[in-house]
C-alpha cells in the first residue's frame, strides 16, 4: 500500500497499469475486462445537481447558509450534544433534505450502471440522501458510511420509530419522540452525528478497497475521516480516478491516478461514452419522472 505524497505525480513518469492517465484509457481498461471489482467512493458533490447543496463549497454550501438556524457554529446542526438540547435546527434541515423531494443525478445512474454490469464491488457513500438507492443501486452494494434517512430510532432506548410517523413529523417540522411508554426520548434518523460511532457496515467493509481493481472517487472533499482514507487502501497498481471540481485527498500522486477535474455528471458522461453506454446512462430512473428535479 503506497504512502501518499502531497504533490502530483511527475507527468513524465509513465503509468504502470493504464496506457495513459486519461478517461479514454480508463474506459478502455474497463472495456478490456481488467476492472471487474470497482469501488466507488462519493460525497455531497454527486447530489448537488439534484439541488441538494454540499457542505463546504463557498457561498452555496450548507455550512455557509445555516445562519438562519441561529446555530452557535454551523456543524452544531449535526452535533449529538447540541441535538439533545435543541433538535429543532436539525428537523428544519431534515424538512429540506428528506428523501422523496429530490431525484437521482446522472452520477447516481452511472453507479447503478456499473452495478447492472456486475462491475461494482461496493459503493461507499458519505451522503445521507438515499439517492443512490433511488437510482436503483442494490442495497447490499451500498455502504452508507455516515448513515442515512432510511431508518430512525430513539436516541435513548434505541427503539425503532415508524417511517410513516417520521415522514409526518418531518413534513410538519415537528420533533418526534419515542413511543415507548416512560421513555419519550428524542427520535433521530440513523444519520451519524459528530460524536457518534460509524455504522457497523462501514467497519465490516472498510478494508474492501484493498481487493478492488479500480477506484472511482466523486464529489467529495475527502476531509472527513475515516472515510477520507479509503482510497489509500487500494493497491499501488490499481487505477484511481478522481472526478471532482477540485483536486482532493492526495489523489493524483500515484502513477495510475487519473484526475478528471470538473462537474461529476460531465465526467461520468465522458466515461460512459468511452464505455459505449451513453444511452443506458441517460435512461429515465423510476419511470418517467424527470431526472434530478426537485419534486415539491
Ligand atoms: P463536502 O466537504 O461539502 O465536499 C464536496 C466536494 O464535492 C467538494 O470537493 C466540491 O468541490 C465537490 N463538488 C461539489 N459539487 C460538485 C459537482 N457538481 N461535481 C463535482 N464535484 C463537486 O462534502 P463531503 O461529502 O466530502 O463531506 C462529507 C459530509 C457531507 C458527509 O458527512 C455528508 O453527510 C455530508 N453531506 C451530505 C449531503 C447529501 O447527502 N447529499 C449533502 C451535504 C452534506
Amino acid at each position: 500500500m503506497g504512502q501518499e505524497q502531497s504533490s502530483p505525480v511527475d507527468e513524465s513518469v509513465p503509468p504502470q497499469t493504464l496506457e495513459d492517465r486519461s478517461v479514454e484509457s480508463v474506459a478502455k481498461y474497463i472495456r478490456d475486462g481488467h476492472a471487474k471489482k470497482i469501488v466507488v467512493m462519493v460525497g455531497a458533490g454527486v447530489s448537488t445537481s439534484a439541488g441538494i447543496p454540499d457542505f463546504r463549497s463557498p457561498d452555496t454550501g450548507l455550512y455557509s447558509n445555516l445562519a438562519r438556524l441561529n446555530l452557535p457554529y454551523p456543524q452544531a446542526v449535526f452535533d449529538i450534544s447540541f441535538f439533545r438540547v435543541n433538535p429543532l435546527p436539525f428537523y428544519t434541515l431534515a424538512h429540506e433534505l428528506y428523501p422523496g423531494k429530490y431525484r437521482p443525478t446522472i452520477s447516481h445512474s452511472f453507479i447503478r450502471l456499473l452495478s447492472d454490469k456486475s462491475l461494482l464491488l461496493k459503493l461507499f457513500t458519505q451522503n445521507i440522501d438515499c439517492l443512490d438507492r433511488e437510482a436503483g443501486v442494490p442495497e447490499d452494494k451500498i455502504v452508507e458510511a455516515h448513515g442515512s434517512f432510511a431508518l430512525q430510532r430513539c436516541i435513548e432506548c434505541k427503539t425503532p420509530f415508524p417511517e410513516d410517523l417520521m415522514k409526518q413529523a418531518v413534513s410538519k417540522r415537528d420533533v418526534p419522540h419515542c413511543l415507548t411508554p416512560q421513555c419519550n426520548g428524542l427520535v433521530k434518523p440513523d444519520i451519524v452525528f459528530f460524536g457518534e460511532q460509524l455504522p457497523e457496515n462501514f467497519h465490516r467493509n472498510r478494508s474492501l478497497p484493498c481487493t478492488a481493481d479500480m477506484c472511482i472517487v466523486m464529489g467529495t472533499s475527502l476531509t472527513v475521516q475515516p472515510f477520507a482514507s479509503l482510497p489509500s487502501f487500494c493497491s499501488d497498481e490499481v487505477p484511481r480516478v478522481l472526478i471532482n471540481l477540485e483536486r482532493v485527498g492526495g489523489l493524483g500522486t500515484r502513477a495510475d491516478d487519473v484526475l478528471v477535474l470538473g462537474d461529476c455528471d460531465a465526467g461520468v458522461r465522458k466515461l460512459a461514452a468511452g464505455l459505449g453506454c451513453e444511452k443506458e446512462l441517460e435512461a429515465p430512473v423510476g419511470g418517467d419522472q424527470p431526472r434530478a428535479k426537485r419534486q415539491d
Side-chain angles (χ1 to χ4, degrees):
M1 224 174 291
Q3 183 93 34
E4 304 291 346
Q5 306 135 23
S6 56
S7 51
V9 73
D10 178 353
E11 286 299 315
S12 63
V13 177
Q16 299 168 20
T17 306
L18 297 170
E19 284 176 12
D20 57 58
R21 291 185 205 97
S22 67
V23 178
E24 293 72 23
S25 183
V26 171
K28 181 171 185 304
Y29 191 72
I30 300 173
R31 273 199 328 266
D32 289 349
H34 299 305
K36 291 183 175 145
K37 290 186 288 176
I38 304 178
V39 278
V40 179
M41 300 161 189
V42 303
V46 295
S47 296
T48 52
S49 67
I52 306 175
D54 65 10
F55 272 1
R56 293 177 184 81
S57 285
D59 304 328
T60 54
L62 266 181
Y63 283 152
S64 60
N65 283 296
L66 288 175
R68 66 203 157 88
L69 297 181
N70 277 330
L71 296 163
Y73 53 98
Q75 287 87 343
V77 72
F78 294 116
D79 188 311
I80 192 67
S81 318
F82 182 81
F83 179 83
R84 284 177 187 281
V85 181
N86 183 5
L88 256 180
F90 170 75
Y91 274 100
T92 307
L93 197 66
H95 178 80
E96 288 173 32
L97 293 182
Y98 205 69
K101 281 195 163 183
Y102 299 93
R103 302 283 300 142
T105 66
I106 282 289
S107 297
H108 294 107
S109 293
F110 180 74
I111 304 165
R112 193 214 60 233
L113 206 63
L114 291 180
S115 169
D116 289 352
K117 295 182 181 303
S118 302
L119 299 174
L120 182 68
L121 180 61
K122 216 53 133 179
L123 164 65
F124 291 87
T125 179
Q126 296 165 95
N127 293 345
I128 53 178
D129 55 30
C130 300
L131 287 184
D132 29 41
R133 294 168 184 242
E134 224 181 292
V137 181
E139 200 175 332
D140 65 342
K141 289 284 176 190
I142 307 174
V143 176
E144 290 167 333
H146 298 165
S148 78
F149 279 106
L151 296 169
Q152 51 280 320
R153 68 191 69 240
C154 169
I155 62 169
E156 306 300 344
C157 73
K158 311 294 177 203
T159 304
F161 188 78
E163 190 182 334
D164 53 338
L165 295 185
M166 185 69 182
K167 276 186 184 158
Q168 277 177 30
V170 169
S171 74
K172 292 194 227 151
R173 293 181 173 88
D174 282 350
V175 176
H177 285 81
C178 184
L179 301 175
T180 307
Q182 273 96 49
C183 179
N184 199 37
L186 288 165
V187 169
K188 178 179 91 49
D190 282 349
I191 292 169
V192 180
F193 277 27
F194 296 112
E196 290 189 310
Q197 295 284 326
L198 265 55
E200 177 50 35
N201 195 24
F202 176 80
H203 294 295
R204 243 196 333 269
N205 287 290
R206 67 180 296 183
S207 58
L208 211 54
C210 309
T211 64
D213 49 23
M214 180 173 282
C215 168
I216 301 178
V217 179
M218 298 197 283
T220 170
S221 60
L222 284 182
T223 47
V224 181
Q225 292 290 0
F227 191 99
S229 301
L230 291 175
S232 68
F233 297 156
C234 296
S235 302
D236 276 348
E237 72 287 357
V238 163
R240 300 186 305 175
V241 186
L242 173 70
I243 308 178
N244 206 51
L245 288 180
E246 53 183 345
R247 193 178 155 226
V248 295
L251 273 285
T253 55
R254 293 192 191 171
D256 288 284
D257 283 354
V258 177
L259 301 180
V260 186
L261 299 185
D263 174 62
C264 49
D265 289 347
V268 300
R269 279 190 165 109
K270 259 193 230 163
L271 193 45
L275 294 171
C277 52
E278 310 99 303
K279 278 208 182 121
E280 282 171 83
L281 182 67
E282 304 291 341
V285 180
D288 289 334
Q289 291 200 65
R291 177 188 298 285
K293 187 150 180 273
R294 192 172 169 153
Q295 308 288 295
D296 280 318

